[in-house]
């Protein structure tokens, strides 16, 4: 079953602006001296939790219409209403980097997988299948190398629906710090790609919906820059450090989002299931 979710530039911009306007805290902590006393957790940046823990679409208090409360409401009433919106399930998010591809092709449509890349995708598919998990869906980038990687992996996961999206396409998420000399995209790319990739993070990385009763297992097949940025944002690390992380082709990164919104990173760029001669990073 294949669904298409190609987003126009206006839709992407609209999604980003909506999430940007509703974000409670876009705080980036600066490094402080060891001699400097630490502020209490609830005073460090105005909130006491992680970005997706306070995600406006998932934070229970933000979903309760307080204007509908009676003039003299009791704590039990509010607690009952909050419980209705609380997440109960855990989301398991598997971020897969596409396999090796022909990087020298001039057109994106010609950047197909190499023979080694196809072998890597087979190995990744076998690894995912061996986990014995009931995967809910596969969301993949609409770029050629991601589509081909998805097609091979999905053969090992029959019955799992596939959804294509432009949000997960490769790009320049944010200017890296420290800067590097070998990779200097045009400044405009950070504004165009950065808005889209940030929108992808807010759209896909959040706690489970309150209606979800069982834990979910979702696969996202995309690109190194996108995955590295998402990991930094999910763990509330400075996103400018994304380029310090390195991911092999066909690697598996496993994020866990708990019902209370806390995020854990179980694996980052795992390719231990591949023979050494099958590992690449192009």
């Amino acid at each position: 079953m294949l669904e298409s979710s190609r987003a126009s530039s206006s839709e992407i911009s609209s999604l980003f602006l909506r999430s940007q306007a509703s974000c409670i805290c876009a705080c980036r902590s600066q490094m402080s001296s060891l001699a400097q006393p630490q502020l209490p957790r609830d005073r460090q940046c105005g909130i006491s939790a992680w970005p997706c823990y306070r995600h406006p679409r998932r934070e229970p208090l933000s979903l309760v219409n307080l204007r509908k409360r009676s003039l003299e409401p009791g704590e039990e009433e509010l607690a009952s209403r909050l419980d209705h919106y609380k997440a109960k399930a855990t989301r398991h998010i598997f971020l897969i980097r596409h396999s090796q591809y022909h990087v020298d092709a001039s057109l994106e449509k010609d950047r197909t997988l190499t023979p080694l890349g196809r072998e890597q995708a087979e190995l990744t598919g076998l690894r995912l299948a061996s986990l014995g998990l009931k995967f809910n869906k596969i969301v993949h980038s609409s770029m050629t190398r991601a589509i081909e990687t998805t097609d091979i992996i999905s053969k090992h996961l029959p019955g799992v629906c596939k959804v294509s999206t432009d949000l997960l396409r490769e790009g320049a998420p944010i200017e890296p710090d420290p800067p590097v000399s070998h990779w200097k995209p045009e400044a405009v790319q950070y504004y165009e790609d950065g808005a889209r990739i940030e929108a992808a993070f807010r759209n896909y990385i959040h706690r489970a919906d309150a209606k979800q009763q069982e834990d979910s297992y979702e696969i996202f097949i995309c690109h190194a820059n996108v995955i590295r940025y998402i990991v930094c944002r999910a763990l509330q690390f400075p996103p400018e450090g994304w380029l310090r992380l390195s991911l092999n082709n066909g690697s598996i990164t496993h994020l866990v989002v708990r019902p209370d919104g806390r995020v854990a990173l179980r694996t980052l760029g795992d390719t231990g299931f591949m023979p050494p001669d099958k590992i690449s990073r192009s």
Side-chain angles (χ1 to χ4, degrees):
M1 177 179 178
L2 177 61
E3 300 178 14
S4 179
S5 172
R6 299 183 66 84
S8 67
S9 298
S10 60
E11 290 172 332
I12 292 171
S13 299
S14 176
L15 174 59
F16 173 70
L17 290 173
R18 288 200 304 271
S19 58
Q20 181 77 6
S22 61
C23 181
I24 291 181
C25 179
C27 167
R28 295 217 181 107
S29 302
Q30 296 189 359
M31 296 181 65
S32 58
S33 167
L34 290 177
Q36 206 171 18
Q38 290 293 313
L39 289 172
R41 183 181 174 88
D42 61 351
R43 292 178 56 200
Q44 288 177 3
C45 65
I47 61 173
S48 60
W50 305 57
C52 62
Y53 181 74
R54 294 295 186 186
H55 196 287
R57 292 189 305 140
R58 294 296 185 270
E59 174 62 19
L61 187 59
S62 70
L63 300 174
V64 174
N65 187 349
L66 297 178
R67 288 178 296 181
K68 291 186 177 181
R69 294 171 61 188
S70 59
L71 294 177
E72 298 181 358
E75 291 297 326
E76 292 183 0
E77 177 200 350
L78 180 57
S80 175
R81 295 175 66 184
L82 285 174
D83 188 64
H84 177 73
Y85 291 105
K86 285 183 179 178
K88 304 169 185 64
T90 295
R91 293 183 67 214
H92 293 262
I93 297 169
F94 294 83
L95 300 163
I96 313 298
R97 189 193 175 195
H98 60 77
S99 302
Q100 186 189 72
Y101 68 106
H102 296 284
V103 296
D104 297 328
S106 57
L107 298 177
E108 194 279 318
K109 68 181 181 65
D110 297 324
R111 293 173 186 168
T112 56
L113 299 185
T114 64
L116 173 59
R118 301 189 71 83
E119 289 185 67
Q120 291 169 338
E122 293 282 359
L123 292 167
T124 304
L126 287 168
R127 173 59 175 170
L128 291 169
S130 72
L131 298 177
L133 301 173
K134 184 181 179 181
F135 290 104
N136 300 81
K137 63 181 177 179
I138 300 174
V139 182
H140 63 88
S141 158
S142 57
M143 298 185 83
T144 301
R145 53 191 182 271
I147 293 173
E148 291 192 344
T149 300
T150 300
D151 290 341
I152 295 173
I153 289 176
S154 64
K155 291 189 304 181
H156 300 278
L157 303 169
V160 181
C161 74
K162 297 180 290 183
V163 180
S164 176
T165 177
D166 289 342
L167 287 178
L168 292 174
R169 291 173 72 91
E170 184 64 300
I174 191 172
E175 189 171 359
D177 186 14
V180 293
S181 58
H182 63 278
W183 188 75
K184 287 186 176 297
E186 295 292 329
V188 68
Q189 270 193 264
Y190 293 121
Y191 293 98
E192 294 177 351
D193 298 342
R196 171 177 53 78
I197 297 172
E198 173 66 15
F201 164 73
R202 299 193 186 190
N203 192 48
Y204 296 122
I205 312 300
H206 51 72
R207 74 182 73 188
D209 188 273
K211 297 178 181 178
Q212 182 177 323
Q213 299 297 318
E214 298 181 354
D215 293 354
S216 58
Y217 302 87
E218 304 158 61
I219 297 172
F220 294 84
I221 300 176
C222 50
H223 309 270
N225 293 359
V226 177
I227 295 172
R228 293 184 283 188
Y229 178 81
I230 284 177
V231 168
C232 288
R233 289 286 282 114
L235 298 179
Q236 206 178 4
F237 295 163
E240 294 87 352
W242 64 271
L243 199 52
R244 304 187 197 190
L245 307 178
S246 184
L247 300 175
N248 294 333
N249 295 116
S251 62
I252 300 175
T253 295
H254 182 185
L255 283 172
V256 177
V257 184
R258 302 289 183 190
D260 64 357
R262 296 183 184 275
V263 178
L265 178 64
R266 292 212 174 159
T267 61
L268 175 66
D270 176 30
T271 48
F273 52 89
M274 293 187 185
D277 62 335
K278 303 298 182 183
I279 295 176
S280 67
R281 200 177 296 121
S282 61

